[in-house]
């Protein structure tokens, strides 16, 4: 019984640290999952090249994600768009908040 409780606590602790939420309430890990599942089939690293990108603000990044969401098999919620933008901003764009 003690082992079961310890394993349950360890699992809960792992869940709490797997997908950290930042100060504005977005979840970059969730954004990464959405991006890789619904966007990654067509997008590749060159799409996010900073030298040729027209995206220069976080609002612009979110607008592009929302605009292209119609091309996916899933309609993104506003929270999904925020999460994907958070992931892409952290991994590629590094725009201000």
């Amino acid at each position: 019984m003690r082992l079961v409780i310890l394993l349950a606590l360890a699992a809960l602790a792992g869940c709490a640290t797997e997908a950290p939420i930042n100060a504005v309430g977005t979840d970059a890990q969730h954004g990464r999952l959405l991006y890789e599942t619904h966007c990654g089939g067509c997008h590749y690293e060159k799409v996010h090249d900073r030298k040729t990108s027209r995206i220069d603000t976080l609002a612009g990044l979110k607008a592009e994600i929302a605009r292209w969401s119609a091309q996916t098999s899933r309609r993104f919620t506003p929270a999904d768009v925020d999460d994907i933008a958070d992931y892409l901003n952290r991994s590629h764009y590094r725009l201000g908040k």
Side-chain angles (χ1 to χ4, degrees):
M1 181 66 168
R2 215 185 225 180
L3 180 60
V4 172
I5 293 171
L6 288 174
L7 289 173
L9 289 173
L12 288 173
C15 290
T17 60
E18 271 184 31
I21 295 175
N22 71 20
V24 294
T26 59
D27 182 345
Q29 288 296 81
H30 180 243
R32 179 179 182 177
L33 177 66
L34 289 171
Y35 179 83
E36 289 176 351
T37 303
H38 301 286
C39 309
C42 296
H43 285 249
Y44 49 92
E45 289 300 310
K46 191 173 181 179
V47 171
H48 303 292
D49 181 35
R50 296 300 302 133
K51 295 174 189 163
T52 59
S53 176
R54 295 176 294 149
I55 298 169
D56 58 1
T57 66
L58 192 54
L61 177 58
K62 289 179 183 182
E64 282 295 295
I65 294 166
R67 183 171 78 87
W68 284 100
S69 72
Q71 304 299 318
T72 69
S73 60
R74 178 176 187 222
R75 292 282 185 201
F76 296 128
T77 67
D80 290 340
V81 170
D82 287 346
D83 291 347
I84 295 167
D86 188 32
Y87 162 67
L88 289 174
N89 192 38
R90 291 174 187 229
S91 62
H92 294 84
Y93 293 92
R94 292 172 178 67
L95 304 166
K97 296 286 178 190

